[in-house]
Amino acid sequence: MNASPSHQPHPAEWTETQSLLPSAERDLPAGRHQFHKEQMMAQIHEDLRTATATRIAPVKRPNPFLRRTVLLPAGAFALAGAVVGGLALTGGGADDGKTALATGPALTTRVGVADTKGAPELLDRISLAAADTSVPTPHKGQYVYITSKVADTYVKTVDDKSEVVSDALHSRQVWNSLDGKDGWLIEAGQTGDHGITLASEVPYSGAYDALAELPTDPEALLRQIYRESDAHRDAEVPRDQAAFVAIGDLLTESYPPAEVGAALYKAAAGIPGVVAVDDAVDATGRRGIAIARENPADGERTEWIFDKKSLRFLGERTVVVKAVAGSQFKVGTVTHTSAITERAVVDANKQVPGQAS
């Protein structure tokens, strides 16, 4: 990884991707991203509250890269990362009153300095560290378990009065079968104490079986990421940003084999606009460095946060780094933050590490 991405052909120019028809990149109309975010957040809260078997429009094929921020316009995302194409939320019995929209003050942070030249070298180091990490190999019938701390910020409107609000930092536990068709979600304040079933006719993004089949050659992997994100992203999401977000989603609520994780980091270096950030803080307050990319459509920068010494992946956040006309989000607002606190492979759905099956 000696060459800077700025000196490499854009992935769209590679032979394998010349047949793709990328959607035009363009800025959102003033206030559009807040509207989408508010509408999506309200809908997700309502879906979780009622716990009906609401089914989102199914995807046409199993897709390891299909995630909320690739499908939605810039700035619009769902609290429940499990709400993707073809997935049903059932059972669990979320209690009334536990899913009220947030009313807390907006989360803010210091905006770290971006280094456009340092990203390739940093990603190379991160990739080497990931390849050297011991990752368990799950067996048929087991589940990937991930627990994290998360919070989101969005625009809330009541009686025609809008304000920027944030969730309280809360815990999130997810179990997913290796094929991604079965699982369980418990998210404080969103699903009730018992959680909800995650069931899908197609694998969700980041299912272990799908990850294990990805190419480990970084260039081939990036071509596949562009193909898949081009096929499913919303036209208002710039294609390079969609590819970056797709990789980030595969790194957060999943447990990729070490060689795949290493390849994902190397692949990210081929995306134009990727930068290194000198200082970033995850949802639990752990300080680190970050690999990031700004979405020019909404002025928000998605940051992958790593421990400064071990280069271990800590979490992800999205920060407003540029004022956008019509937006109620000020520079420094944290629109999403997460911190992974544990990843493990367990023998059964809803089993926690250390618990007998």
Side-chain angles (χ1 to χ4, degrees):
M1 191 174 299
N2 297 322
S4 168
S6 62
H7 297 147
Q8 299 173 355
H10 189 287
E13 298 174 357
W14 295 339
T15 302
E16 289 84 349
T17 57
Q18 286 182 347
S19 62
L20 296 176
L21 299 176
S23 300
E25 298 184 8
R26 56 190 173 88
D27 288 341
L28 293 175
R32 180 74 178 276
H33 66 288
Q34 301 102 306
F35 171 79
H36 281 293
K37 182 177 291 186
E38 179 185 353
Q39 293 300 309
M40 285 299 299
M41 295 294 291
Q43 183 61 54
I44 295 304
H45 278 283
E46 179 62 20
D47 288 344
L48 294 177
R49 185 186 71 78
T50 57
T52 58
T54 302
R55 184 169 296 277
I56 311 301
V59 295
K60 296 180 180 179
R61 62 186 180 206
N63 173 26
F65 301 106
L66 181 60
R67 290 288 280 182
R68 65 192 189 282
T69 36
V70 175
L71 289 173
L72 300 177
F77 58 86
L79 249 182
V83 181
V84 296
L87 181 139
L89 305 177
T90 62
D95 297 330
D96 287 344
K98 286 194 175 185
T99 56
L101 295 180
T103 58
L107 298 169
T108 59
T109 189
R110 183 185 78 85
V111 176
V113 177
D115 177 7
T116 57
K117 297 181 180 180
E121 188 271 338
L122 178 56
L123 279 165
D124 201 26
R125 291 169 49 211
I126 291 171
S127 177
L128 290 173
D132 196 40
T133 301
S134 177
V135 177
T137 302
H139 304 291
K140 185 177 181 180
Q142 291 185 311
Y143 286 74
V144 171
Y145 168 80
I146 297 175
T147 181
S148 58
K149 296 287 187 179
V150 300
D152 291 290
T153 300
Y154 49 94
V155 176
K156 177 183 177 182
T157 301
V158 177
D159 296 330
D160 296 326
K161 181 180 179 180
S162 298
E163 61 178 332
V164 178
V165 297
S166 294
D167 298 310
L169 185 67
H170 57 278
S171 63
R172 177 180 169 89
Q173 293 173 285
V174 177
W175 290 260
N176 276 296
S177 60
L178 302 188
D179 64 5
K181 295 184 179 181
D182 180 42
W184 195 259
L185 168 67
I186 300 176
E187 184 164 353
Q190 311 299 327
T191 64
D193 295 337
H194 300 292
I196 55 175
T197 297
L198 304 180
S200 178
E201 295 178 355
V202 297
Y204 91 106
S205 306
Y208 183 87
D209 288 349
L211 289 172
E213 294 178 357
L214 293 178
T216 55
D217 174 76
E219 291 189 357
L221 178 56
L222 186 56
R223 287 194 291 269
Q224 184 169 341
I225 289 169
Y226 269 101
R227 284 196 299 270
E228 296 294 342
S229 60
D230 277 345
H232 298 284
R233 69 182 173 88
D234 187 279
E236 293 177 351
V237 180
R239 68 190 307 265
D240 290 328
Q241 186 68 12
F244 184 80
V245 168
I247 293 176
D249 283 335
L250 295 182
L251 295 168
T252 51
E253 212 154 81
S254 64
Y255 208 169
E259 62 274 17
V260 174
L264 286 167
Y265 292 124
K266 283 183 175 291
I271 300 175
V274 173
V275 300
V277 178
D278 66 339
D279 184 59
V281 184
D282 74 6
T284 61
R286 296 177 295 191
R287 305 197 78 89
I289 53 180
I291 290 295
R293 191 181 190 283
E294 178 187 338
N295 183 351
D298 61 8
E300 297 186 15
R301 187 170 73 192
T302 299
E303 301 177 345
W304 307 338
I305 306 171
F306 302 86
D307 181 87
K308 290 185 178 181
K309 293 183 178 181
S310 68
L311 299 179
R312 178 172 59 92
F313 181 73
L314 300 178
E316 182 182 61
R317 72 176 183 177
T318 304
V319 180
V320 177
V321 297
K322 182 181 67 177
V324 174
S327 172
Q328 292 181 292
F329 294 133
K330 297 179 180 180
V331 171
T333 300
V334 180
T335 61
H336 171 73
T337 183
S338 67
I340 295 174
T341 54
E342 186 173 16
R343 297 182 198 248
V345 175
V346 295
D347 292 330
N349 200 6
K350 295 184 278 185
Q351 179 186 11
V352 297
Q355 181 184 50
S357 57

